[in-house]
Amino acid sequence: MNLSLRFLSLILILWASAVAAKPLRLGIAGFTHDHVHQILRRPAQGDVEIVGVAEPNKELAMRYLKRYKLPESLWYASLEAMIAATKPEAVCAFNSIYEHKQVVDICAPKGIHVMVEKPLAVNTAHAKTMIALAQKHNIQLLTNFETTWYSSHQQAYDLIHTQNTLGDIRKVVVHDGHRGPKEIGCSQEFLRWLTDPVQNGGGAIIDFGCYGANLMTWLMKGERPLTVTAVTQQIKPDVYPKVDDEATIILTYPKAQAIIQASWNWPFDRKDMEIYGQKGYVVCDKTQQMRVRLGDGVKRDAAEEKRDIPALSAPYDDPFSYFAAVVKGDIKPQKDLSSLEINQIVVEILEAAVQSSKTGKPVKL
């Protein structure tokens, strides 16, 4: 290779390194989902730069920007105006589930990648349109769940599918919820749509049922359940008159079952999961420990042990680092917890669960 070619190669390498090191230009769509605090309070890590926020409620936007000492100049009244002025590479949606489709409608034709808060869409019709737009315009469309970033969940998946320690999955029980969104002090802007059957699609059945649907579909490697059965209640109709506040969803598979318990009535916050296989079980939550009991599928005297779980490494430990890595092509999401393959099925399960709760009958997928 002559000197000029070597020089050109060096320039290309330096240019590629500079592009890779450049932070993701990120826009925010909506401030009405209280999970928006996750990105607003996130310390600068050099991987993401907030270039603009779109929120029709100017008072709400200014209140949050001031709280987090962010410049008021970031604010725009509409997503279209924010995109035109700031040219983001990607957008995170922190508005109602019903509005997720609108965000993709606007962003996808412009080649802007999107990550929404859980779940992907309010119904399967919205989901299909969003997925078609993402595929047509070659953008990434991800769904963020808090439970994706629990190291115990990743460790459990490895025990099942890599080490084959538990054997085949037989039953999964997922508990998610808290005392209720009003009881724990969610903002009025969040409560307004979270307790609306159109904007949210339901109450606890959607708000917390989505976690179990996401985890079980992932554990089953994208397999759809045979049937979905759900029971809902309004234990506090005076507080939540329009939506359920208690839900249980049962998913059946040829050789496995999942029980998803979603509640706005737990006496404490919880997000934990029990996975039972042929040869043992594992109990996971957000801590850096997991409980494991293993055997050979015959003996019953295996002792339960507590295992310390190492923290996840970047960029798999944080939704925004992960999003940036996906947009830059460093990660290809294929049937992981954030992927379209998994989250399309999550929406199908939730829609079937709502239908089942109304008819009192199982729904076949």
Side-chain angles (χ1 to χ4, degrees), residues 338-358:
S338 304
S339 68
L340 272 182
E341 296 96 328
I342 297 300
N343 284 288
Q344 178 178 2
I345 297 171
V346 171
V347 177
E348 292 174 12
I349 289 171
L350 294 176
E351 187 170 83
V354 171
Q355 180 183 345
S356 174
S357 71
K358 292 176 179 178

Side-chain angles (χ1 to χ4, degrees), residues 95-108:
N95 45 19
S96 74
I97 304 169
Y98 191 89
E99 293 171 297
H100 288 176
K101 177 180 172 294
Q102 182 184 36
V103 173
V104 177
D105 285 342
I106 294 169
C107 290

Side-chain angles (χ1 to χ4, degrees), residues 4 51 80 88 110 114 179 219 240 272 300 326 361 363:
S4 60
V51 296
E80 293 94 332
K110 296 177 174 62
V114 177
R179 291 177 291 128
L219 289 171
Y240 307 109
D272 54 86
R300 299 182 181 180
V326 169
K361 298 178 181 179
V363 175

Side-chain angles (χ1 to χ4, degrees), residues 264-317:
W264 287 349
N265 292 290
W266 296 115
F268 45 80
D269 296 357
R270 67 183 304 181
K271 285 189 176 78
D272 54 86
M273 173 172 61
E274 305 163 9
I275 306 170
Y276 300 89
Q278 294 170 297
K279 299 182 289 186
Y281 68 76
V282 58
V283 180
C284 312
D285 60 23
K286 66 172 64 179
T287 67
Q288 292 300 115
Q289 278 193 332
M290 63 193 303
R291 290 161 39 208
V292 182
R293 186 174 182 180
L294 300 174
D296 58 8
V298 178
K299 296 179 181 179
R300 299 182 181 180
D301 57 354
E304 182 179 275
E305 59 176 305
K306 289 186 177 180
R307 295 185 182 181
D308 292 327
I309 306 301
L312 296 172
S313 58
Y316 296 95
D317 60 340

